[in-house]
Amino acid sequence: MLLAALVSVLATLALCSFGRAWLGLVVGPLVFLIWMAFAGMNGFVVWPLVGLTLVGATLTGVPDLRRSLVTGPAMRLLTPMFPNISETERVALEAGTVWFEAELFRGAPDWKQLLDFQAPALTAAEAAFLENEVTTVCHMTDPTRVDELGDLPPEVWAYLKSNKFLGLIIPEAYGGLGFKARAISEIITRCSSHNVTLAVTVMLPSSLGPAELLLHYGTPEQRTTWLPRLADGTEVPAFALTEPNAGSDAGGLTSRGVLEMGDWKGERVLGLRLTWNKRYITLAPVATILGLAVQVEDPDALLSEERHRGITCVLVPTDLDGVEVGRRHDPLGVKFINGPTTGQDVFVPLDHVIGGESGIGSGWRMLMDCLSAGRALSLPGLAAGGTQTTSRAVSAYGELRQQFGMSIARFEGVEEALARIHGDTWWIDAARRLTAGAVASGESPSVVSAIMKAWTTDAMRDVVNDGMDVMAGAGICRGPRNVLAGFYQALPIGITVEGANILTRTLIVFGQGALRCHPFAFEEMEAARAGDLETFDRCFSGHVGHIVSTGARSVVNNLTGAFLIQTPLDGLAGRSLQRLTRASAAFALVAEGAMATLGGDLKRRERLTGRLADALAGLYFGSACVKRWVDAGRNESERPLFEYGIGRALHDVESALDSVLRNLPNRPAAWLLRAFALPFGVRAQPAKDELLERVVRAVAIPEVRDELTASVVLPEADQPGLGTLESALQAVRAAVPAQKKLGQARRAGRLERQEGESAWDAGVRLGVLDEAEAQLVRLAEVAREDAIQVDAYDAQAYRARCGA
């Protein structure tokens, strides 16, 4: 009997784990029952059970019977439990595209799809622009002068306009550069590595704004009129969405556009009478053209009987009567231009509605579609640039700054922070590269873009905070020598804009992902609401089979340590894919359990959806880590960074799922899910001390450090801050052989220094060093001493910095 049960279970698990759930649920029991019948079990017991099993198979296998007796009643039962979706939510759900994140929801990712994916290469023009124009504008932008002026200097603005930085995404046919997403991401990252104000000014016209909206939805006349002027900087754009009472809830917009006849350039035309009150609008104070989101009303039925026409995007020249721009917010002292704008009774003709008359009421869909791509590039680029500069600066400072006779980088406490800085910097950029490549290939992944925005900016906060700990006093004294202060000031800005991270994590990522990425859930829910039994039957049957297969797969993966999972790779990369597959199955199963036990109430259980979002994000970042390391040829010198990245991702996934199961209200369901998904608890642990040490040693290798921080635009060697840190680091490393000679002589008791004599001069006198070696040591010590200095001001200069 035991053998029969074992064979039955193995047959069921095997069929279910390979996606044959219904067959497994029939074959397994039949094997057991028939085996027992031939083994002498009472036929009056066995054969009725065989009959019941066959009846069950018939009920589930014959579509008409299944719909009448199983899925029909199930549809009537489940329909009231499904969450209500507003029209605003529906548009957001349907925005953008679904990409590899759907594989992670499936519980059995197709890794070949990811590994075979190749992003379009940079064009020659894009590569040249990065090396020339981007480097030039970074060198032109003096952060101290930006702080003094409260804006980019006029010559920088002029350079940006004349070199079409405001037209990066605009096609050449309209006078722009026509760059693709991969180049845009790299431009933003490099500018961010140098100065946040420069980066925000460059990223805004290439993100959600008039140009993007016109390219996708504008009429031919609108494109011809506006795009060339945006490309050459004649027009400075801003997009105004946020209001005092409508931030994340765009449905609460109070800005209005009323359809009426009005005067425009001496003619009586149909148009919109606009009134608005917007805030937090980047570039609004200097904008010449506003993209404006308003609720359009048609009280006199001039276009249709429908009075409320919905959210609409409108182009508004800021020189019109009634438009107010110019006032500025002060976002934590970061000097990018941001401020409110208001309008009172501003009239524009109907051809200023993006898309013309047909664009009325389509604004929310336009915004959601464009936001998916823009959000995937802008703030992840800011995070990547900021963390790469932090990594480069802090690694140099840690080697240069000495306490107790040795570099502070050699202290284990500092080494731990350095390892997190370097590891998280690599982790962020792995996902940035993958996501930018996806957008460049035509994807507009809404769920991935939300993950990227929230998790990269949160990780930037961790990296910069660790950097501040290492640099200590040198990190808090503001001035030209301080590399980190600008990033530290900007941290809450990246976390807040384009959807606050709290909202993104708890409402958007899993809420949108569960419906868009799940293989059956959204279509199943829509079919139930529409009363479409045939579609519901197909989806529900597939959904049940998916749950059973995922559960079986989780059991097999956990019992076998995931070693039986087939992947396209071998070695560490292959093992990492096995572990990610196991984690994906666990995530899919726990997500199913949460949706099944909470139904529509899960939408309001934001702590749970936030943790499920953490797990999905961990899976995505882990996938990006594998992709980056494999694409780079599995370079052994970068192996510690890969181990750190994949280890962090897996730990994030398992910890998040463990937290979901500890807090799921239905405790029996939670216990059952744990037995299937996490029977041995959280097995992926944070990086061990030995790995942290290897990460820091790896980044001490110049080639690895250069690759880790490849997007950093290095300043001139004599520039205070990163420039002097870099030149001092080179000088110190050049003097290492001579310093070793001095150390050996000191330990041997041969380096007896005379009063007031330096070690290197004593080394020359005693024959330990020659003059050239002594000069290297001398220059290294002078450079080291200069690099660790901090800025200080007399009273008058300090008051000037304070604006007094």
Side-chain angles (χ1 to χ4, degrees):
M1 182 174 178
L2 181 61
L3 181 60
L6 179 61
V7 171
S8 174
V9 168
L10 289 176
T12 300
L13 286 175
L15 288 168
C16 290
S17 62
F18 282 101
R20 300 292 185 269
W22 292 111
L23 186 61
L25 292 176
V26 173
V27 170
L30 281 178
V31 167
F32 176 76
L33 291 171
I34 293 173
W35 186 313
M36 295 307 298
F38 284 103
M41 188 174 178
N42 191 327
F44 289 104
V45 175
V46 172
W47 295 112
L49 290 175
V50 170
L52 287 173
T53 302
L54 292 175
V55 168
T58 303
L59 287 175
T60 56
V62 178
D64 289 339
L65 283 175
R66 183 176 66 238
R67 291 168 192 160
S68 298
L69 301 176
V70 180
T71 53
M75 186 174 77
R76 292 189 290 275
L77 175 67
L78 293 175
T79 299
M81 300 172 59
F82 288 138
N84 292 318
I85 300 176
S86 68
E87 184 58 28
T88 301
E89 291 174 316
R90 180 178 300 279
V91 170
L93 279 172
E94 295 173 351
T97 61
V98 177
W99 189 53
F100 189 72
E101 66 272 29
E103 291 294 313
L104 303 175
F105 252 95
R106 200 165 59 84
D110 180 0
W111 297 115
K112 191 174 185 303
Q113 174 189 334
L114 178 69
L115 296 172
D116 288 347
F117 168 73
Q118 294 299 320
L122 294 174
T123 66
E126 291 169 341
F129 191 87
L130 285 164
E131 296 306 317
N132 298 312
E133 283 84 351
V134 172
T135 301
T136 297
V137 80
C138 287
H139 288 169
M140 288 176 65
T141 305
D142 178 0
T144 300
R145 191 157 175 240
V146 171
D147 282 346
E148 291 171 351
L149 294 173
D151 188 9
L152 295 176
E155 63 272 17
V156 175
W157 267 109
Y159 188 85
L160 292 175
K161 291 178 179 181
S162 64
N163 287 277
K164 302 185 178 180
F165 277 83
L166 276 63
L168 296 175
I169 64 171
I170 296 174
E172 292 180 87
Y174 295 104
L177 296 175
F179 287 171
K180 301 303 182 186
R182 187 174 176 186
I184 302 295
S185 174
E186 188 62 26
I187 290 167
I188 294 170
T189 302
R190 294 194 186 191
C191 290
S192 300
S193 78
H194 180 70
N195 182 259
V196 172
T197 297
L198 174 64
V200 173
T201 305
V202 169
M203 77 170 66
L204 192 281
S206 298
S207 185
L208 178 63
E212 182 85 356
L213 292 168
L214 286 167
L215 283 171
H216 287 90
Y217 305 106
T219 65
E221 294 79 11
Q222 288 174 337
R223 293 172 188 163
T224 302
T225 299
W226 294 106
L227 289 178
R229 297 173 62 80
L230 288 166
D232 65 12
T234 301
E235 303 286 356
V236 176
F239 190 82
L241 174 63
T242 304
E243 301 176 3
N245 293 301
S248 302
D249 178 16
L253 286 177
T254 59
S255 295
R256 288 290 183 266
V258 178
L259 280 160
E260 63 177 53
M261 300 299 294
D263 295 323
W264 181 259
K265 296 182 179 180
E267 297 183 20
R268 196 75 174 162
V269 299
L270 180 62
L272 292 173
R273 182 73 61 182
L274 302 166
T275 299
W276 71 87
N277 179 20
K278 304 287 188 177
R279 64 181 183 181
Y280 311 147
I281 311 305
T282 299
L283 294 186
V286 297
T288 62
I289 184 72
L290 279 178
L292 192 68
V294 297
Q295 295 277 11
V296 168
E297 307 287 345
D298 188 2
D300 298 324
L302 297 176
L303 289 180
S304 73
E305 294 301 317
E306 186 180 1
R307 298 300 194 264
H308 178 69
R309 299 297 301 273
I311 297 174
T312 301
C313 296
V314 188
L315 293 174
V316 182
T318 59
D319 59 359
L320 295 179
D321 290 341
V323 178
E324 181 183 335
V325 294
R327 292 184 301 145
R328 291 182 62 174
H329 300 308
D330 182 3
L332 289 176
V334 182
K335 299 305 188 288
F336 70 93
I337 296 177
N338 182 280
T341 174
T342 60
Q344 187 68 38
D345 293 331
V346 179
F347 183 81
V348 295
L350 211 57
D351 62 12
H352 280 48
V353 173
I354 294 178
E357 182 180 333
S358 63
I360 296 175
S362 300
W364 185 237
R365 184 175 299 279
M366 294 179 184
L367 295 175
M368 289 299 96
D369 283 339
C370 291
L371 183 62
S372 297
R375 189 166 53 182
L377 305 178
S378 54
L379 292 171
L382 176 67
T387 54
Q388 287 186 40
T389 295
T390 300
S391 174
R392 195 164 187 100
V394 174
S395 61
Y397 187 83
E399 195 168 330
L400 296 171
R401 178 75 166 133
Q402 293 186 338
Q403 291 288 280
F404 306 104
M406 65 180 184
S407 298
I408 62 171
R410 294 174 59 188
F411 290 89
E412 285 195 356
V414 174
E415 183 182 71
E416 183 176 6
L418 287 172
R420 289 196 300 265
I421 290 168
H422 303 325
D424 287 349
T425 296
W426 192 91
W427 183 83
I428 289 169
D429 207 45
R432 179 192 70 88
R433 295 182 184 192
L434 176 61
T435 307
V439 177
S441 299
E443 297 290 342
S444 183
S446 54
V447 176
V448 164
S449 70
I451 289 172
M452 288 298 297
K453 186 272 165 183
W455 273 261
T456 59
T457 53
D458 263 348
M460 180 186 177
R461 173 165 50 186
D462 295 337
V463 169
V464 175
N465 280 335
D466 272 335
M468 295 292 281
D469 279 353
V470 174
M471 298 195 78
I476 63 175
C477 293
R478 292 180 59 208
R481 291 178 176 273
N482 191 326
V483 182
L484 301 189
F487 298 126
Y488 187 78
Q489 285 177 276
L491 290 177
I493 298 168
I495 286 166
T496 299
V497 300
E498 291 191 4
N501 283 5
I502 289 177
L503 169 85
T504 302
R505 173 180 173 268
T506 58
L507 289 179
I508 295 177
V509 170
F510 184 77
Q512 193 168 13
L515 294 179
R516 285 300 303 277
C517 302
H518 192 283
F520 302 103
F522 188 60
E523 190 178 3
E524 180 180 50
M525 187 173 68
E526 292 290 275
R529 293 201 182 282
D532 183 352
L533 180 58
E534 183 176 348
T535 301
F536 179 84
D537 171 72
R538 175 176 54 79
C539 294
F540 183 79
S541 301
H543 195 163
V544 172
H546 171 69
I547 294 172
V548 173
S549 295
T550 303
R553 196 177 294 118
S554 290
V555 170
V556 173
N557 291 345
N558 283 302
L559 291 177
T560 63
F563 282 101
L564 298 183
I565 297 171
Q566 298 296 308
T567 73
L569 301 173
D570 56 8
L572 177 61
R575 179 58 184 155
S576 298
L577 291 183
Q578 289 178 328
R579 297 175 71 193
L580 282 170
T581 302
R582 177 174 63 192
S584 174
F587 163 72
L589 188 62
V590 173
E592 293 285 2
M595 290 189 289
T597 58
L598 289 169
D601 193 43
L602 181 59
K603 181 179 176 180
R604 292 174 289 278
R605 299 290 186 127
E606 295 167 23
R607 284 185 287 267
L608 289 178
T609 57
R611 292 163 185 143
L612 288 165
D614 290 337
L616 179 59
L619 288 168
Y620 183 73
F621 275 87
S623 304
C625 289
V626 174
K627 177 67 172 169
R628 176 175 182 176
W629 196 49
V630 170
D631 283 355
R634 300 194 232 185
N635 189 338
E636 278 298 309
S637 60
E638 288 190 30
R639 180 181 177 126
L641 291 165
F642 170 67
E643 289 184 39
Y644 177 95
I646 192 67
R648 173 182 170 168
L650 288 164
H651 177 68
D652 287 351
V653 176
E654 292 188 12
S655 297
L657 295 179
D658 177 70
S659 186
V660 171
L661 294 174
R662 284 189 289 109
N663 290 280
L664 196 66
N666 189 321
R667 300 313 301 155
W671 299 329
L672 182 63
L673 287 168
R674 183 177 291 279
F676 279 76
L678 287 177
F680 306 112
V682 178
R683 289 190 284 190
Q685 296 300 318
K688 295 182 178 179
D689 293 349
E690 174 269 337
L691 176 57
L692 297 177
E693 183 178 350
R694 286 195 291 120
V695 167
V696 175
R697 287 183 179 178
V699 178
I701 301 170
E703 294 78 13
V704 175
R705 181 169 178 260
D706 288 344
E707 171 59 24
L708 177 65
T709 61
S711 297
V712 174
V713 177
L714 293 175
E716 302 294 339
D718 60 348
Q719 292 296 305
L722 187 57
T724 53
L725 284 170
E726 284 294 307
S727 58
L729 182 63
Q730 293 176 18
V732 166
R733 287 180 171 178
V736 166
Q739 290 280 24
K740 286 184 176 179
K741 289 183 179 181
L742 289 175
Q744 291 169 354
R746 189 180 295 112
R747 288 190 292 274
R750 295 173 48 220
L751 195 64
E752 297 181 4
R753 295 166 57 179
Q754 298 176 355
E755 185 176 351
E757 186 179 35
S758 66
W760 53 86
D761 286 336
V764 172
R765 178 173 55 79
L766 297 170
V768 176
L769 300 179
D770 59 29
E771 280 292 344
E773 291 172 320
Q775 180 66 3
L776 287 175
V777 176
R778 184 180 300 111
L779 292 174
E781 291 305 310
V782 170
R784 185 203 305 271
E785 185 68 18
D786 178 63
I788 64 172
Q789 300 305 308
V790 298
D791 298 289
Y793 309 90
D794 60 32
Q796 183 177 357
Y798 184 75
R799 284 195 297 271
R801 284 181 58 81
C802 296

